[in-house]
Amino acid sequence: MKKAILVTLVTVTLFSCKAFADEDKMVQFEALPAQVKEFVNTHFKGVGVAYAKEERETFVVTGYEVMFTTGEKVEFDRTCAWEEVDCKYSAVPASVIPAQIKDFVAQKHPDAKIVKIERDRWDYEVELNIGLELKFDLQFNLIGYDS
Amino acid sequence: MKLIYQITSRLSVVLLVLLAVWGVLFYVAMLDEVNDEIDETLEEYAAQLIARSLAGVEMPTEPDGTNNTYRIRPVSKNYARENKGISHWDMMISVPGSYEEEPARGLTTIYKDDEGQYYELMVITPSIEKQDLMQAILSWSICLYVGLLLTIILVHVWIYYGSMKPLHNLLRWFDDYTVGSRKEPLKNDTKVVEFSKLNEAVLRSTERSEQLFEQQKQFIGNASHELQTPLAICQNRLEMLLDTDLSEEQMGEILKTTQTLKQISRLNQSLLFLSKIDNRQFPENSLVNFNALIKTQLPDYSEAYAYKNIILDLAEPGNLVINMNESLALALVVNLLKNAYVHTQAAGRIEIKIQDFGLTIANNGDEPLDKRIFERFFQGTKQKGSTGLGLAIVDAICKMYGMEITYSFENRMHEFFLKK
């Protein structure tokens, strides 16, 4: 019986630790990994940082988020590669967008601006300011439209 | 307590503990997961709001249909430094248009704008009732407990009885078994090693007790048989000695010794008789009428114990006829009668009742006797001339013919009832 109580206590403690460990952490921009800083300095040169956040889950860093004072936001995965660039109220810097996608959009929607680009293990998602969403596979072939 | 009850009750206790632990863990995990989800949504919402405010886009006005509320206020650099980070908390908020308070979860975060001015954003969203979640989990845990318990117990009982069949067979067989009686062979086929070993062990031990019992019977028979002749010789020699020239005192001693020897001889004969009964050496049976048998014996006893002034009450509502050995029937009646006459006090009373189905012999007494009166050499109160084997002989005879002899004490009467 004593053992059972001990096991319960330990497990409950672990669970609560997990709950605390899940909390994201605000960090100074300077404290971010070099790769993240490099991306920011390359594509968002001279733009002020509103906040920088380290995302955690069970003691492990799962990604980073940087908000600029212009309201633009970049998210990075745990390997410090960018995952999402959200420039809803301006436009995604052209230097971030892969050439094939840039060309495709320029060709098909010459008036539209790219306001958000997301990528994950399977595809690229591009949002245009005209309310259209485009999906590309990893070889930059168009998969479909979403509105 | 039956094994099955013990196992079942232990199972229920263990399950109760396990499920309680499980319930707590499940609750914590659920709550954690829900909070995580809410926090994530809140952070997303906060990021959107910050982006809007920084981009100079018009901020949403409350209420926007999601029940989310927010507040942005400029804060000093020091405040920002002290409160950096994101904090989440639970609270109760009053719902517009209702007096009730609802649980909500909030988030505060700090950001700064182009000019280096720090702001604090506070976002609040209604959250679930933790109390509701806890109650739901509790009731579901109870359902799960009852359901699991019933299922496990049913399955367990089923499996238990299935696998324990050989054990119960063996126990039943063992219950019916008595040493010395003819036993039916043990039929208990099983593939289980433990049970077949148990079968073998039981069989071995019964055989062993059987052997010992047989040896003991033979030993008693032989010993008493061998003692007979020397005892007789002793008696004869003493009698011869009495004829010689002896003093008064010597003669007195020798007479006492002969008396004792006679008693030993009687005891020995009783033992021999008992061992003969046990060895079933009285095979010839005939129909014995107990009414007649008792009536032929009674006059001898009333004469021999006339000095005790015992009142005899003989009732014959029926005829008791039993198919048995005549000398054993005689021994049975004689021992019961003698027992009654010897142990009744002066001016006492003996009641004999002969019915179709049995015989009752009762006599006066003060206190109930020990249950062991049918055992050999057990005597409640030592009586002169009593061997302590009389009732043992009665019991042995009854057992041999499958009859039943019982003793009871009612209305200050010792009552021996022989059931045909």
Short mmCIF file of all heavy atoms in Angstrom, two decimals, chain B residues 290-299 301-302 310-318 320 332-341 344 349-355 358-364 413-418:
data_model
loop_
_atom_site.label_atom_id
_atom_site.label_comp_id
_atom_site.label_asym_id
_atom_site.label_seq_id
_atom_site.Cartn_x
_atom_site.Cartn_y
_atom_site.Cartn_z
N PHE B 290 -35.84 -57.38 19.64
CA PHE B 290 -35.30 -56.69 20.81
C PHE B 290 -36.26 -56.70 21.99
O PHE B 290 -35.82 -56.68 23.13
CB PHE B 290 -34.88 -55.26 20.44
CG PHE B 290 -33.49 -55.19 19.89
CD1 PHE B 290 -33.18 -55.73 18.64
CD2 PHE B 290 -32.46 -54.61 20.62
CE1 PHE B 290 -31.89 -55.69 18.15
CE2 PHE B 290 -31.17 -54.56 20.13
CZ PHE B 290 -30.87 -55.11 18.89
N ASN B 291 -37.57 -56.72 21.69
CA ASN B 291 -38.55 -56.76 22.80
C ASN B 291 -38.30 -57.99 23.67
O ASN B 291 -38.18 -57.91 24.88
CB ASN B 291 -39.98 -56.82 22.25
CG ASN B 291 -40.28 -55.60 21.39
OD1 ASN B 291 -39.51 -55.28 20.47
ND2 ASN B 291 -41.38 -54.93 21.69
N ALA B 292 -38.19 -59.14 22.97
CA ALA B 292 -37.99 -60.40 23.68
C ALA B 292 -36.64 -60.40 24.39
O ALA B 292 -36.54 -60.78 25.57
CB ALA B 292 -38.07 -61.56 22.70
N LEU B 293 -35.62 -59.92 23.65
CA LEU B 293 -34.26 -59.93 24.18
C LEU B 293 -34.17 -59.12 25.48
O LEU B 293 -33.61 -59.56 26.49
CB LEU B 293 -33.33 -59.34 23.13
CG LEU B 293 -31.84 -59.42 23.42
CD1 LEU B 293 -31.39 -60.86 23.53
CD2 LEU B 293 -31.04 -58.71 22.33
N ILE B 294 -34.77 -57.94 25.46
CA ILE B 294 -34.71 -57.06 26.63
C ILE B 294 -35.46 -57.71 27.80
O ILE B 294 -34.99 -57.69 28.94
CB ILE B 294 -35.27 -55.66 26.29
CG1 ILE B 294 -34.26 -54.93 25.40
CG2 ILE B 294 -35.55 -54.84 27.55
CD1 ILE B 294 -34.77 -53.68 24.79
N LYS B 295 -36.62 -58.30 27.48
CA LYS B 295 -37.42 -58.89 28.56
C LYS B 295 -36.73 -60.09 29.21
O LYS B 295 -36.93 -60.34 30.40
CB LYS B 295 -38.82 -59.25 28.05
CG LYS B 295 -39.75 -58.03 28.17
CD LYS B 295 -41.16 -58.36 27.78
CE LYS B 295 -41.32 -58.15 26.28
NZ LYS B 295 -42.71 -58.37 25.85
N THR B 296 -35.89 -60.81 28.44
CA THR B 296 -35.17 -61.91 29.07
C THR B 296 -34.04 -61.41 29.95
O THR B 296 -33.66 -62.05 30.92
CB THR B 296 -34.57 -62.89 28.02
OG1 THR B 296 -33.77 -62.12 27.12
CG2 THR B 296 -35.64 -63.63 27.25
N GLN B 297 -33.49 -60.27 29.62
CA GLN B 297 -32.35 -59.75 30.37
C GLN B 297 -32.74 -58.98 31.63
O GLN B 297 -32.02 -58.99 32.61
CB GLN B 297 -31.49 -58.84 29.48
CG GLN B 297 -30.76 -59.55 28.37
CD GLN B 297 -29.77 -60.57 28.92
OE1 GLN B 297 -29.04 -60.29 29.86
NE2 GLN B 297 -29.80 -61.78 28.37
N LEU B 298 -33.89 -58.29 31.54
CA LEU B 298 -34.28 -57.38 32.62
C LEU B 298 -34.33 -58.01 34.01
O LEU B 298 -33.81 -57.42 34.96
CB LEU B 298 -35.61 -56.70 32.29
CG LEU B 298 -35.47 -55.40 31.49
CD1 LEU B 298 -36.85 -54.85 31.14
CD2 LEU B 298 -34.67 -54.36 32.27
N PRO B 299 -34.94 -59.20 34.14
CA PRO B 299 -35.06 -59.78 35.50
C PRO B 299 -33.70 -59.92 36.18
O PRO B 299 -33.57 -59.60 37.36
CB PRO B 299 -35.68 -61.16 35.24
CG PRO B 299 -36.38 -61.01 33.94
CD PRO B 299 -35.61 -60.04 33.15
N TYR B 301 -31.06 -58.11 35.88
CA TYR B 301 -30.55 -56.82 36.35
C TYR B 301 -31.32 -56.29 37.54
O TYR B 301 -30.74 -55.81 38.51
CB TYR B 301 -30.53 -55.80 35.21
CG TYR B 301 -29.37 -56.04 34.28
CD1 TYR B 301 -29.50 -56.79 33.13
CD2 TYR B 301 -28.10 -55.57 34.63
CE1 TYR B 301 -28.42 -57.05 32.32
CE2 TYR B 301 -27.01 -55.83 33.83
CZ TYR B 301 -27.17 -56.57 32.67
OH TYR B 301 -26.11 -56.83 31.89
N SER B 302 -32.70 -56.42 37.45
CA SER B 302 -33.47 -55.89 38.59
C SER B 302 -33.12 -56.67 39.85
O SER B 302 -33.13 -56.12 40.96
CB SER B 302 -34.97 -55.91 38.30
OG SER B 302 -35.31 -56.91 37.40
N ILE B 310 -34.47 -49.31 42.28
CA ILE B 310 -34.68 -48.53 41.06
C ILE B 310 -36.07 -48.82 40.50
O ILE B 310 -36.51 -49.98 40.45
CB ILE B 310 -33.59 -48.88 40.03
CG1 ILE B 310 -32.25 -48.32 40.51
CG2 ILE B 310 -33.93 -48.32 38.66
CD1 ILE B 310 -31.07 -48.81 39.74
N ILE B 311 -36.77 -47.75 40.11
CA ILE B 311 -38.09 -47.95 39.50
C ILE B 311 -37.89 -48.15 38.01
O ILE B 311 -37.25 -47.34 37.32
CB ILE B 311 -38.98 -46.70 39.72
CG1 ILE B 311 -39.06 -46.38 41.21
CG2 ILE B 311 -40.36 -46.89 39.10
CD1 ILE B 311 -39.48 -44.98 41.51
N LEU B 312 -38.41 -49.23 37.47
CA LEU B 312 -38.26 -49.54 36.05
C LEU B 312 -39.56 -49.26 35.32
O LEU B 312 -40.63 -49.66 35.76
CB LEU B 312 -37.84 -51.00 35.87
CG LEU B 312 -37.69 -51.45 34.42
CD1 LEU B 312 -36.48 -50.80 33.77
CD2 LEU B 312 -37.62 -52.96 34.35
N ASP B 313 -39.47 -48.56 34.21
CA ASP B 313 -40.66 -48.22 33.43
C ASP B 313 -40.44 -48.72 32.01
O ASP B 313 -39.69 -48.13 31.23
CB ASP B 313 -40.83 -46.69 33.47
CG ASP B 313 -42.14 -46.28 32.82
OD1 ASP B 313 -42.87 -47.18 32.37
OD2 ASP B 313 -42.40 -45.06 32.76
N LEU B 314 -41.07 -49.83 31.64
CA LEU B 314 -40.88 -50.41 30.31
C LEU B 314 -42.11 -50.15 29.44
O LEU B 314 -43.22 -50.49 29.83
CB LEU B 314 -40.63 -51.92 30.43
CG LEU B 314 -40.52 -52.70 29.12
CD1 LEU B 314 -39.29 -52.29 28.33
CD2 LEU B 314 -40.50 -54.20 29.40
N ALA B 315 -41.92 -49.50 28.33
CA ALA B 315 -43.02 -49.22 27.41
C ALA B 315 -42.71 -49.85 26.07
O ALA B 315 -41.59 -49.79 25.59
CB ALA B 315 -43.20 -47.71 27.27
N GLU B 316 -43.72 -50.53 25.48
CA GLU B 316 -43.49 -51.19 24.20
C GLU B 316 -44.51 -50.76 23.15
O GLU B 316 -45.40 -51.53 22.78
CB GLU B 316 -43.58 -52.72 24.39
CG GLU B 316 -42.47 -53.28 25.23
CD GLU B 316 -42.64 -54.78 25.42
OE1 GLU B 316 -42.21 -55.54 24.54
OE2 GLU B 316 -43.24 -55.17 26.44
N PRO B 317 -44.43 -49.53 22.66
CA PRO B 317 -45.39 -49.10 21.64
C PRO B 317 -45.17 -49.82 20.30
O PRO B 317 -46.03 -49.77 19.43
CB PRO B 317 -45.11 -47.60 21.47
CG PRO B 317 -44.13 -47.24 22.53
CD PRO B 317 -43.45 -48.49 22.97
N GLY B 318 -44.03 -50.46 20.14
CA GLY B 318 -43.79 -51.12 18.86
C GLY B 318 -42.87 -52.31 19.04
O GLY B 318 -42.44 -52.63 20.15
N LEU B 320 -39.29 -53.90 17.86
CA LEU B 320 -38.03 -53.57 17.21
C LEU B 320 -37.35 -54.87 16.77
O LEU B 320 -36.95 -55.69 17.60
CB LEU B 320 -37.12 -52.81 18.18
CG LEU B 320 -35.78 -52.38 17.61
CD1 LEU B 320 -35.95 -51.43 16.45
CD2 LEU B 320 -34.90 -51.78 18.68
N LEU B 332 -25.09 -55.57 22.84
CA LEU B 332 -25.64 -54.23 22.73
C LEU B 332 -26.60 -53.94 23.87
O LEU B 332 -26.47 -52.95 24.61
CB LEU B 332 -26.34 -54.11 21.38
CG LEU B 332 -26.83 -52.74 20.92
CD1 LEU B 332 -25.65 -51.85 20.61
CD2 LEU B 332 -27.70 -52.90 19.68
N VAL B 333 -27.57 -54.85 24.03
CA VAL B 333 -28.62 -54.67 25.05
C VAL B 333 -28.00 -54.71 26.45
O VAL B 333 -28.27 -53.85 27.30
CB VAL B 333 -29.71 -55.74 24.88
CG1 VAL B 333 -30.62 -55.77 26.09
CG2 VAL B 333 -30.49 -55.47 23.62
N VAL B 334 -27.13 -55.70 26.66
CA VAL B 334 -26.53 -55.87 27.98
C VAL B 334 -25.73 -54.64 28.38
O VAL B 334 -25.87 -54.11 29.48
CB VAL B 334 -25.63 -57.14 28.00
CG1 VAL B 334 -24.69 -57.12 29.20
CG2 VAL B 334 -26.49 -58.38 28.00
N ASN B 335 -24.93 -54.14 27.46
CA ASN B 335 -24.11 -52.99 27.78
C ASN B 335 -24.94 -51.75 28.08
O ASN B 335 -24.62 -50.98 28.98
CB ASN B 335 -23.12 -52.71 26.67
CG ASN B 335 -21.87 -53.57 26.81
OD1 ASN B 335 -21.19 -53.52 27.83
ND2 ASN B 335 -21.63 -54.41 25.82
N LEU B 336 -26.02 -51.57 27.29
CA LEU B 336 -26.87 -50.40 27.53
C LEU B 336 -27.58 -50.52 28.87
O LEU B 336 -27.65 -49.56 29.65
CB LEU B 336 -27.89 -50.24 26.39
CG LEU B 336 -27.36 -49.56 25.13
CD1 LEU B 336 -28.42 -49.58 24.03
CD2 LEU B 336 -26.94 -48.12 25.42
N LEU B 337 -28.12 -51.72 29.15
CA LEU B 337 -28.83 -51.93 30.41
C LEU B 337 -27.89 -51.77 31.59
O LEU B 337 -28.19 -51.10 32.58
CB LEU B 337 -29.47 -53.32 30.43
CG LEU B 337 -30.72 -53.48 29.56
CD1 LEU B 337 -31.22 -54.94 29.62
CD2 LEU B 337 -31.83 -52.55 30.04
N LYS B 338 -26.72 -52.39 31.46
CA LYS B 338 -25.76 -52.34 32.55
C LYS B 338 -25.34 -50.90 32.83
O LYS B 338 -25.26 -50.46 33.98
CB LYS B 338 -24.54 -53.19 32.19
CG LYS B 338 -23.69 -53.50 33.39
CD LYS B 338 -22.55 -54.39 33.01
CE LYS B 338 -21.54 -54.42 34.14
NZ LYS B 338 -20.26 -54.93 33.68
N ASN B 339 -25.12 -50.22 31.76
CA ASN B 339 -24.76 -48.81 31.87
C ASN B 339 -25.81 -48.05 32.66
O ASN B 339 -25.50 -47.27 33.56
CB ASN B 339 -24.61 -48.23 30.46
CG ASN B 339 -24.06 -46.81 30.47
OD1 ASN B 339 -22.95 -46.61 30.95
ND2 ASN B 339 -24.85 -45.89 30.00
N ALA B 340 -27.09 -48.30 32.31
CA ALA B 340 -28.18 -47.60 32.98
C ALA B 340 -28.23 -47.97 34.46
O ALA B 340 -28.33 -47.11 35.33
CB ALA B 340 -29.50 -47.92 32.30
N TYR B 341 -28.14 -49.27 34.75
CA TYR B 341 -28.26 -49.71 36.14
C TYR B 341 -27.09 -49.24 36.99
O TYR B 341 -27.25 -48.78 38.12
CB TYR B 341 -28.40 -51.24 36.22
CG TYR B 341 -29.84 -51.68 36.11
CD1 TYR B 341 -30.37 -52.09 34.91
CD2 TYR B 341 -30.67 -51.66 37.25
CE1 TYR B 341 -31.69 -52.47 34.81
CE2 TYR B 341 -32.00 -52.04 37.15
CZ TYR B 341 -32.50 -52.45 35.94
OH TYR B 341 -33.81 -52.81 35.85
N THR B 344 -27.30 -45.33 37.67
CA THR B 344 -28.47 -44.72 38.31
C THR B 344 -28.27 -44.74 39.83
O THR B 344 -27.83 -45.75 40.38
CB THR B 344 -29.74 -45.48 37.93
OG1 THR B 344 -29.82 -45.58 36.53
CG2 THR B 344 -30.97 -44.76 38.45
N ARG B 349 -34.63 -43.95 38.60
CA ARG B 349 -35.67 -44.38 37.68
C ARG B 349 -35.03 -44.70 36.33
O ARG B 349 -34.17 -43.97 35.85
CB ARG B 349 -36.65 -43.22 37.56
CG ARG B 349 -37.85 -43.47 36.71
CD ARG B 349 -38.66 -42.17 36.65
NE ARG B 349 -39.78 -42.33 35.74
CZ ARG B 349 -40.92 -42.91 36.10
NH1 ARG B 349 -41.10 -43.33 37.34
NH2 ARG B 349 -41.89 -43.06 35.21
N ILE B 350 -35.47 -45.83 35.75
CA ILE B 350 -34.99 -46.19 34.41
C ILE B 350 -36.21 -46.33 33.51
O ILE B 350 -37.19 -47.00 33.87
CB ILE B 350 -34.18 -47.50 34.44
CG1 ILE B 350 -32.87 -47.29 35.19
CG2 ILE B 350 -33.89 -47.99 33.01
CD1 ILE B 350 -32.04 -48.54 35.35
N GLU B 351 -36.15 -45.68 32.35
CA GLU B 351 -37.27 -45.76 31.41
C GLU B 351 -36.78 -46.43 30.13
O GLU B 351 -35.79 -46.01 29.53
CB GLU B 351 -37.79 -44.36 31.07
CG GLU B 351 -38.60 -43.74 32.19
CD GLU B 351 -38.95 -42.29 31.92
OE1 GLU B 351 -38.79 -41.85 30.77
OE2 GLU B 351 -39.36 -41.61 32.89
N ILE B 352 -37.49 -47.48 29.72
CA ILE B 352 -37.12 -48.16 28.47
C ILE B 352 -38.32 -48.09 27.54
O ILE B 352 -39.46 -48.33 27.95
CB ILE B 352 -36.76 -49.64 28.73
CG1 ILE B 352 -35.55 -49.71 29.68
CG2 ILE B 352 -36.41 -50.35 27.42
CD1 ILE B 352 -35.21 -51.09 30.15
N LYS B 353 -38.06 -47.67 26.32
CA LYS B 353 -39.15 -47.53 25.37
C LYS B 353 -38.73 -48.21 24.08
O LYS B 353 -37.70 -47.85 23.49
CB LYS B 353 -39.41 -46.04 25.12
CG LYS B 353 -40.71 -45.73 24.44
CD LYS B 353 -40.98 -44.24 24.63
CE LYS B 353 -41.78 -43.66 23.49
NZ LYS B 353 -41.70 -42.20 23.54
N ILE B 354 -39.51 -49.22 23.68
CA ILE B 354 -39.17 -49.94 22.45
C ILE B 354 -40.16 -49.54 21.36
O ILE B 354 -41.37 -49.67 21.54
CB ILE B 354 -39.19 -51.46 22.66
CG1 ILE B 354 -38.35 -51.83 23.88
CG2 ILE B 354 -38.65 -52.18 21.42
CD1 ILE B 354 -38.53 -53.26 24.33
N GLN B 355 -39.63 -49.01 20.25
CA GLN B 355 -40.49 -48.60 19.16
C GLN B 355 -40.08 -49.37 17.91
O GLN B 355 -39.03 -50.02 17.89
CB GLN B 355 -40.34 -47.09 18.92
CG GLN B 355 -41.09 -46.26 19.94
CD GLN B 355 -40.48 -44.88 20.11
OE1 GLN B 355 -39.32 -44.79 20.47
NE2 GLN B 355 -41.26 -43.86 19.85
N GLY B 358 -36.74 -47.85 16.81
CA GLY B 358 -35.60 -47.66 17.69
C GLY B 358 -35.89 -47.98 19.14
O GLY B 358 -37.00 -48.36 19.52
N LEU B 359 -34.83 -47.82 19.91
CA LEU B 359 -34.89 -48.17 21.32
C LEU B 359 -34.36 -47.00 22.14
O LEU B 359 -33.32 -46.44 21.84
CB LEU B 359 -34.01 -49.41 21.54
CG LEU B 359 -33.65 -49.79 22.97
CD1 LEU B 359 -34.89 -50.31 23.70
CD2 LEU B 359 -32.55 -50.84 22.97
N THR B 360 -35.13 -46.65 23.20
CA THR B 360 -34.67 -45.57 24.07
C THR B 360 -34.47 -46.12 25.46
O THR B 360 -35.36 -46.78 26.01
CB THR B 360 -35.71 -44.45 24.14
OG1 THR B 360 -36.17 -44.17 22.83
CG2 THR B 360 -35.13 -43.19 24.76
N ILE B 361 -33.29 -45.89 26.02
CA ILE B 361 -33.05 -46.28 27.41
C ILE B 361 -32.60 -45.02 28.14
O ILE B 361 -31.59 -44.42 27.77
CB ILE B 361 -31.98 -47.38 27.53
CG1 ILE B 361 -32.48 -48.64 26.83
CG2 ILE B 361 -31.65 -47.65 28.99
CD1 ILE B 361 -31.55 -49.81 26.88
N ALA B 362 -33.40 -44.63 29.17
CA ALA B 362 -33.08 -43.39 29.86
C ALA B 362 -33.00 -43.64 31.35
O ALA B 362 -33.67 -44.52 31.87
CB ALA B 362 -34.15 -42.35 29.56
N ASN B 363 -32.12 -42.91 32.03
CA ASN B 363 -32.03 -43.05 33.47
C ASN B 363 -31.76 -41.70 34.11
O ASN B 363 -31.30 -40.76 33.45
CB ASN B 363 -30.94 -44.06 33.85
CG ASN B 363 -29.57 -43.59 33.46
OD1 ASN B 363 -29.34 -43.35 32.28
ND2 ASN B 363 -28.68 -43.44 34.42
N ASN B 364 -32.05 -41.60 35.41
CA ASN B 364 -31.87 -40.34 36.13
C ASN B 364 -30.43 -39.87 36.13
O ASN B 364 -29.50 -40.67 36.11
CB ASN B 364 -32.26 -40.52 37.60
CG ASN B 364 -33.75 -40.40 37.77
OD1 ASN B 364 -34.38 -41.32 38.25
ND2 ASN B 364 -34.31 -39.28 37.35
N MET B 413 -32.67 -36.45 32.67
CA MET B 413 -32.58 -37.87 32.30
C MET B 413 -31.48 -38.02 31.25
O MET B 413 -31.44 -37.26 30.26
CB MET B 413 -33.90 -38.35 31.67
CG MET B 413 -35.09 -38.38 32.62
SD MET B 413 -34.96 -39.73 33.80
CE MET B 413 -35.85 -41.00 32.95
N HIS B 414 -30.58 -39.01 31.46
CA HIS B 414 -29.63 -39.38 30.41
C HIS B 414 -30.39 -40.26 29.44
O HIS B 414 -30.96 -41.26 29.85
CB HIS B 414 -28.45 -40.17 30.98
CG HIS B 414 -27.68 -39.42 32.01
ND1 HIS B 414 -26.99 -38.27 31.71
CD2 HIS B 414 -27.48 -39.65 33.33
CE1 HIS B 414 -26.38 -37.84 32.81
NE2 HIS B 414 -26.68 -38.65 33.82
N GLU B 415 -30.40 -39.88 28.20
CA GLU B 415 -31.20 -40.66 27.26
C GLU B 415 -30.31 -41.18 26.14
O GLU B 415 -29.65 -40.42 25.43
CB GLU B 415 -32.30 -39.77 26.69
CG GLU B 415 -33.38 -40.55 25.98
CD GLU B 415 -34.48 -39.64 25.47
OE1 GLU B 415 -35.22 -39.09 26.31
OE2 GLU B 415 -34.56 -39.45 24.26
N PHE B 416 -30.30 -42.51 25.99
CA PHE B 416 -29.58 -43.14 24.88
C PHE B 416 -30.60 -43.62 23.88
O PHE B 416 -31.50 -44.39 24.23
CB PHE B 416 -28.72 -44.30 25.38
CG PHE B 416 -27.55 -43.84 26.20
CD1 PHE B 416 -27.65 -43.70 27.57
CD2 PHE B 416 -26.35 -43.52 25.57
CE1 PHE B 416 -26.59 -43.26 28.32
CE2 PHE B 416 -25.27 -43.09 26.33
CZ PHE B 416 -25.38 -42.96 27.70
N PHE B 417 -30.49 -43.14 22.66
CA PHE B 417 -31.46 -43.53 21.64
C PHE B 417 -30.74 -44.30 20.54
O PHE B 417 -29.78 -43.81 19.93
CB PHE B 417 -32.15 -42.29 21.08
CG PHE B 417 -33.10 -42.59 19.96
CD1 PHE B 417 -34.19 -43.43 20.18
CD2 PHE B 417 -32.89 -42.08 18.70
CE1 PHE B 417 -35.06 -43.71 19.14
CE2 PHE B 417 -33.75 -42.37 17.66
CZ PHE B 417 -34.84 -43.18 17.88
N LEU B 418 -31.24 -45.51 20.32
CA LEU B 418 -30.67 -46.35 19.26
C LEU B 418 -31.61 -46.28 18.06
O LEU B 418 -32.78 -46.65 18.16
CB LEU B 418 -30.55 -47.80 19.76
CG LEU B 418 -30.12 -48.81 18.71
CD1 LEU B 418 -28.64 -48.72 18.43
CD2 LEU B 418 -30.48 -50.23 19.16
#
